[in-house]
Amino acid sequence: MISLTEYLKDPCGTLSIPYWKNKNIITPEHIKIVHQNDFNAENFSDFTDEKYFRLIHRLENIKAFTLDDFTVRTAAPEDIPLIVDLINKSYTDISVSCEQISALTQLDVYDNNLWIIAYDKENNFAIGCGIADFDDKAKEGILEWIQVLPEYRGNKIGRLIVNELLCRIAEKADFATVSGKVDNASKPEILYRKCGFTGDDVWHILFRKD
């Protein structure tokens, strides 16, 4: 088991997931998790490979970012059905339920101030949302859900959401992390780097073939 001290020396290179998750998850026998530095494809020919980037933000020099036509507000518990609808409309390969998203509010890392919704000012129409966690043991903010409706992409709304979360996280955390699939067609890594995230850690999530 990785200690908190070890984790904090290099969060993204030490674990493929945030420290709080690692304490509560047991990796199944048919799955292996390997850092890019230790990965050799020949050694894992019996596995399918999904690559994930993991980036860090030291929460320094965060500049305010605003858009004339769009704004964000803190989400309330009664907004969960709206958040679920936004998530499901933003992806073609992911579907979540109200029960799944509601369960996130019961976690120790839940922080209601880190749940936000983005709106089109002209018609007060919800167009995206963001959910982040806060681990008070590691003083880590974790971006979990960042999505924008497909028809509104290309308007820097993702940057608006991420920047707002970083500003809120910076009030209490020492750093923030985010991860995602390397081969995601929407290229979220580009967005996160534009918002100040850095690093080159890639983790291979390997599933043994049947």
Side-chain angles (χ1 to χ4, degrees):
M1 176 69 72
I2 298 295
S3 71
L4 179 56
T5 299
E6 291 174 307
Y7 176 74
L8 292 177
K9 290 179 181 178
D10 181 15
C12 296
T14 302
L15 290 173
S16 63
I17 54 177
Y19 179 76
W20 79 267
K21 285 186 179 181
N22 188 65
K23 293 189 301 179
N24 297 287
I25 291 179
I26 298 176
T27 304
E29 291 185 1
H30 69 286
I31 296 176
K32 293 186 179 297
I33 302 173
V34 181
H35 190 277
Q36 177 68 31
N37 292 345
D38 302 314
F39 180 76
N40 184 327
E42 293 181 358
N43 295 336
F44 298 100
S45 58
D46 293 336
F47 293 78
T48 58
D49 182 13
E50 291 185 359
K51 296 192 289 290
Y52 287 79
F53 62 82
R54 191 152 190 248
L55 305 175
I56 192 167
H57 198 301
R58 291 299 179 180
L59 304 176
E60 299 172 348
N61 303 316
I62 301 174
K63 298 179 181 179
F65 182 78
T66 60
L67 295 171
D68 291 340
D69 298 326
F70 308 102
T71 189
V72 298
R73 69 163 175 84
T74 304
E78 55 267 28
D79 289 316
I80 286 178
L82 172 59
I83 291 172
V84 168
D85 186 57
L86 288 167
I87 291 173
N88 289 337
K89 287 180 177 177
S90 297
Y91 301 99
T92 58
D93 59 343
I94 294 175
S95 179
V96 299
S97 67
C98 287
E99 290 75 17
Q100 288 173 306
I101 298 303
S102 293
L104 302 180
T105 67
Q106 304 304 310
L107 298 173
D108 290 340
V109 292
Y110 168 68
D111 186 326
N112 71 295
N113 192 50
L114 300 181
W115 289 47
I116 61 175
I117 300 174
Y119 282 85
D120 184 329
K121 288 181 181 179
E122 182 177 358
N123 53 25
N124 197 36
F125 181 69
I127 56 174
C129 56
I131 295 175
D133 296 329
F134 173 63
D135 177 5
D136 63 352
K137 301 292 191 303
K139 299 300 179 187
E140 175 182 9
I142 306 113
L143 273 61
E144 288 289 352
W145 290 97
I146 307 294
Q147 52 279 316
V148 176
L149 293 178
E151 60 267 33
Y152 280 89
R153 291 172 187 167
N155 292 296
K156 300 184 178 179
I157 298 162
R159 185 174 174 184
L160 178 70
I161 293 170
V162 171
N163 193 82
E164 177 65 23
L165 287 174
L166 288 173
C167 287
R168 297 182 181 206
I169 288 170
E171 296 176 357
K172 61 191 73 180
D174 293 333
F175 65 100
T177 58
V178 69
S179 62
K181 284 187 177 182
V182 170
D183 60 355
N184 189 320
S186 63
K187 303 297 182 183
E189 185 177 353
I190 295 174
L191 165 64
Y192 298 132
R193 290 189 183 279
K194 285 182 178 179
C195 293
F197 282 88
T198 61
D200 56 8
D201 291 289
V202 172
W203 289 86
H204 295 257
I205 312 302
L206 301 153
F207 300 85
R208 188 178 297 277
K209 297 175 183 178
D210 295 334

